[in-house]
Amino acid sequence: MTCAEEQPEVVVAGEDATRGIGVTIAFFSDLHLGAPHAPGRDWAEKMVTRVKPDVVVFGGDLVDHRDGGLADITAASGLLSTIAESLELPLVIIWGNHDAEVGLHRELAWITDHPRIRCPEGTDSVQVLSFPGIPVYFYAMNVGEKNDSRAVIDAYPVADRVVHPDVAHVGVFHTSLTGEFSKNPCLPATPDELLEKRYDAWLLGHVHSSHIISENPLIGWPGMGHMWQVHF
């Protein structure tokens, strides 16, 4: 079992992003259900409840491809159902490299039609995801395979803050960036390339330790066993 936090970490998206939008996001990633060091489904449900968010975001790698099995896929399905149905919270989710290897897009195909869940379709494009009544645009893309070294950052559009001045623009990206914090490259990009998109925050998955690359705008990984309470 990993050393998981018992309280969410409060993270402000940066002074440029706090424009009175009044949205709280519960963000976590790399749950790796089935792995011996994974924090587990119960931890995730407890932490989401403590955050009291307006929307939940998951940054990929829900099930571990080495140690996860059918029971863990069932637990993953139950977790998403708890968030979207029992807690009645909107949920944005992307698939990471472990999810691609497991085939979660097939195993959990039911989420595609769920009214409170948004997940990009396929692996070849960035999609803009949103929910009625929540002034946030999520720019999201799935990893395509276990070792996905594609350079995809150019697919993320630049935020238009003139047309949408009262909306938070949030990138959701399962990436190793330039590789300092991960042994396995995944959808590489540089921090400067992320900054060029003019988003209010980049919520990252793939790296298992917690790192904040930029505070304003927020760019970082919560890491395994950490739940971020992000305020806009």
Side-chain angles (χ1 to χ4, degrees):
M1 180 69 71
T2 190
C3 183
E5 289 183 338
E6 292 302 314
Q7 294 294 334
E9 179 182 356
V10 177
V11 179
V12 177
E15 58 188 36
D16 289 346
T18 54
R19 301 189 300 274
I21 290 173
V23 173
T24 296
I25 294 174
F27 175 54
F28 67 116
S29 187
D30 295 275
L31 195 59
H32 284 272
L33 293 171
H37 54 291
R41 172 187 172 181
D42 290 346
W43 170 85
E45 292 179 357
K46 176 174 64 177
M47 294 295 280
V48 166
T49 301
R50 288 181 178 177
V51 170
K52 297 180 174 62
D54 299 294
V55 59
V56 179
V57 177
F58 181 73
D61 283 355
L62 188 55
V63 174
D64 192 84
H65 84 84
R66 296 184 188 90
D67 299 309
L70 181 58
D72 303 296
I73 294 172
T74 300
S77 183
L79 170 62
L80 303 187
S81 178
T82 294
I83 293 171
E85 296 181 8
S86 300
L87 299 178
E88 298 185 343
L89 291 170
L91 168 65
V92 172
I93 181 171
I94 59 173
W95 302 129
N97 54 306
H98 280 252
D99 303 321
E101 185 74 2
V102 172
L104 277 194
H105 64 288
R106 295 186 298 270
E107 300 288 348
L108 303 183
W110 65 267
I111 72 171
T112 303
D113 299 320
H114 197 287
R116 293 195 189 94
I117 300 178
R118 303 286 188 271
C119 181
E121 296 180 4
T123 62
D124 296 328
S125 64
V126 173
Q127 295 175 26
V128 184
L129 311 174
S130 63
F131 299 93
I134 297 179
V136 182
Y137 289 160
F138 297 96
Y139 303 85
M141 185 177 192
N142 292 321
V143 176
E145 58 187 2
K146 177 184 174 183
N147 298 308
D148 195 340
S149 59
R150 294 176 296 161
V152 300
I153 189 62
D154 287 345
Y156 281 83
V158 175
D160 191 335
R161 295 191 179 191
V162 175
V163 175
H164 305 289
D166 300 320
V167 173
H169 302 266
V170 177
V172 188
F173 196 18
H174 196 87
T175 176
S176 58
L177 289 186
T178 48
E180 293 92 333
F181 306 111
S182 174
K183 298 177 182 177
N184 302 310
C186 185
L187 303 185
T190 69
D192 284 345
E193 287 176 320
L194 270 58
L195 290 169
E196 289 172 358
K197 304 303 177 180
R198 302 181 66 234
Y199 295 170
D200 297 295
W202 280 93
L203 305 180
L204 308 180
H206 188 65
V207 171
H208 290 185
S209 50
S210 184
H211 299 279
I212 293 180
I213 303 300
S214 167
E215 294 184 353
N216 186 26
L218 173 65
I219 302 174
W221 300 273
M224 180 185 289
H226 299 267
M227 179 78 67
W228 280 0
Q229 184 181 40
V230 186
H231 297 293
F232 288 92

